[in-house]
Structures are given as structure tokens and as C-alpha cells.
Amino acid sequence: MPVYRDEVVVLRTHKLGEADRIVTMLSRQHGKIRAVAKGVRRTASKFGARLEPFMVADVQLYEGRTLDVVTQAETIGSYGALIADDYASYTAANAMVEAADRLTEAEASLQQYLLLVGALRSLSRHEHGPQLTLDSYLLRALSLAGWAPSFLDCSRCGAPGPHEHVVVQLGGVVCDDCAPQGAPRIDPATIALLGALLSGDWALADASDDTTRSKANGLVAAYTQWHLERGLRSLQHVQHDQKASE
């Protein structure tokens, strides 16, 4: 049967039988892959630890009738243990891989793959607050999927910003003329943070206060759940950043 290799990040695993696992992976070249890793739950398995969630690996697979089979796995990025040691990072990573699972299919998406790997690497190194890293990842992943928000010009009519209303159903900020009746006004600091998370302005994001982060996080969660139609179950477990503990 055809054999192929690819770089993958492990999204989730499920037990299969007494010793095997089904591994769902986002790959660099082949999109999302579901494959059987035989014997990985045995203590003597050579690559069981390399196929845990959040790990990045170079894998060899052969095509099966229903599921492919992993025959080799070599670690590229060992992020799983470092992320699991910190609860806030662990919950953020779970939300990331759930979003990646929902946003990607069999078609290859190199940008989605690189974005997820970069976000997990950042989490493992504690480069920024886990909640900030998650919110930035979600905004960028949604943008790559075709749902790019606007946090400057009006997302409905294009009127030059800045504007004070954020309406997730309309794609971001909207001007006074386009804002639905009763739409709340959002403070400039929160809108600036949303724009920074989308563009990768980490100096501005890291300098934000807890209140601003909390407001931005609520809007990112609402925007994500609106476009994914079903909420991300992992978001309810995400631990919010507290600057004093970073």
C-alpha cells in the first residue's frame, strides 16, 4: 500500500482496542489525518509519547482502507509535557486544537498548520499570557478560514475608523450608522487590544491590563462561537490570565 511521510501536530487521540490509539493530526501537506497508531499504549512502545496531544512529529504512514496507519514517528517539537505542567497553558492548548480540528479538513493548509505549531510553541515557552496567545490564535485561524474581522474600518460599509461598536455578527467594528440599535460601545483600549492580537503587536498586547484582556477575551469567544456555529467546549475551561501571575 502507498506509504507517505509528513510533519504533523497531534490534535487528539482515542483509545482503540487494548493497546492501540486513533490519532487525529493536522499535517503540513495532507490536511487533517486520522490514523491508527498500533501498540502505543503498551509500556514498551517506541513512539507512544511522540503521538500525544500538542506534540509535533515527523511521521510515516501507509494508507489503509478506512484509516491510515502510523509506522514511524520522530519528535520535532516536544511541547506536550511543558504545556501540561501549566493549567492555564493546558486549557488554552485544548481550545486551540479543538478549533483547529473544527476549521480544517482533508485539504492541506500550510498556514493553519504553521499557525498552530507556532502558538503551541509559544505556550510551551510561556512567551505571553496563555489567554492572549489563545485569543490571537483564534482570530488568526478564523481569518485564514475566511472570517477575518475588522477592528479599524467599519466591517459593513468600510467607513474609515476608529469606531466604538463591535458587533460580532457583522464582522468586527461598525460605524454609528451601521450599528444596530442598542449595540454597546466598546472602549478604545479593548478594540486596540483586539487589533494587536490579530496583527501580532505583542508589545501592546503584553502591556494590556486584566480588565481589557477580559473584555477582549469575551468578544473573541463570541466571534469564534458565532462563526463555528457550535461553541468550542474547551473555552469554558480556559483559565483567564492574571498579569500578576505571569
Side-chain angles (χ1 to χ4, degrees):
M1 297 199 179
V3 176
Y4 65 98
R5 299 190 71 91
D6 206 343
E7 294 178 12
V8 302
V9 54
V10 179
L11 304 180
R12 54 191 170 91
T13 65
H14 292 97
K15 293 179 181 179
L16 179 65
E18 295 184 357
D20 305 339
R21 277 200 178 104
I22 296 176
V23 185
T24 302
M25 303 166 280
L26 179 61
S27 72
R28 188 183 184 98
Q29 301 176 26
H30 295 84
K32 192 163 63 179
I33 300 170
R34 294 180 75 244
V36 176
K38 295 186 175 182
V40 294
R41 290 161 55 202
R42 295 194 181 101
T43 309
S45 172
K46 294 182 179 179
F47 55 80
R50 303 168 191 171
L51 296 175
E52 293 292 332
F54 321 137
M55 300 292 281
V56 182
D58 180 344
V59 297
Q60 178 175 288
L61 309 99
Y62 73 81
E63 296 179 8
R65 292 182 179 179
T66 55
L67 293 172
D68 295 349
V69 177
V70 181
T71 57
Q72 294 180 13
E74 298 296 335
T75 300
I76 296 176
S78 184
Y79 307 135
L82 293 172
I83 289 173
D85 281 344
D86 178 70
Y87 182 74
S89 297
Y90 177 74
T91 56
N94 271 299
M96 287 179 187
V97 296
E98 184 183 351
D101 195 7
R102 296 274 295 279
L103 288 169
T104 57
E105 292 302 332
E107 296 80 13
S109 177
L110 176 61
Q111 290 179 307
Q112 289 282 10
Y113 170 80
L114 294 175
L115 178 66
L116 180 59
V117 171
L120 293 174
R121 182 189 303 117
S122 180
L123 274 181
S124 72
R125 295 175 178 175
H126 307 293
E127 294 176 349
H128 312 286
Q131 180 187 318
L132 290 178
T133 305
L134 170 61
D135 287 344
S136 178
Y137 168 78
L138 290 174
L139 290 175
R140 294 184 186 191
L142 288 164
S143 297
L144 291 175
W147 297 309
S150 173
F151 296 122
L152 180 59
D153 298 336
C154 178
S155 59
R156 190 171 188 184
C157 72
H163 302 293
E164 297 181 339
H165 301 282
V166 176
V167 182
V168 296
Q169 297 89 337
L170 297 179
V173 296
V174 291
C175 64
D176 290 339
D177 292 336
C178 293
Q181 186 174 5
R185 293 184 181 274
I186 307 299
D187 62 278
T190 300
I191 295 177
L193 175 56
L194 290 168
L197 294 171
L198 179 60
S199 66
D201 184 350
W202 287 107
L204 191 156
D206 289 337
S208 61
D209 59 46
D210 293 337
T211 300
T212 302
R213 294 184 185 192
S214 181
K215 292 178 182 178
N217 175 255
L219 289 166
V220 173
Y223 191 78
T224 301
Q225 302 206 46
W226 170 261
H227 285 292
L228 292 183
E229 297 181 356
R230 304 193 314 274
L232 293 178
R233 290 177 297 174
S234 301
L235 282 182
Q236 63 185 313
H237 302 297
V238 171
Q239 180 173 304
H240 289 233
D241 291 351
Q242 297 294 328
K243 289 185 70 180
S245 64
E246 289 175 10

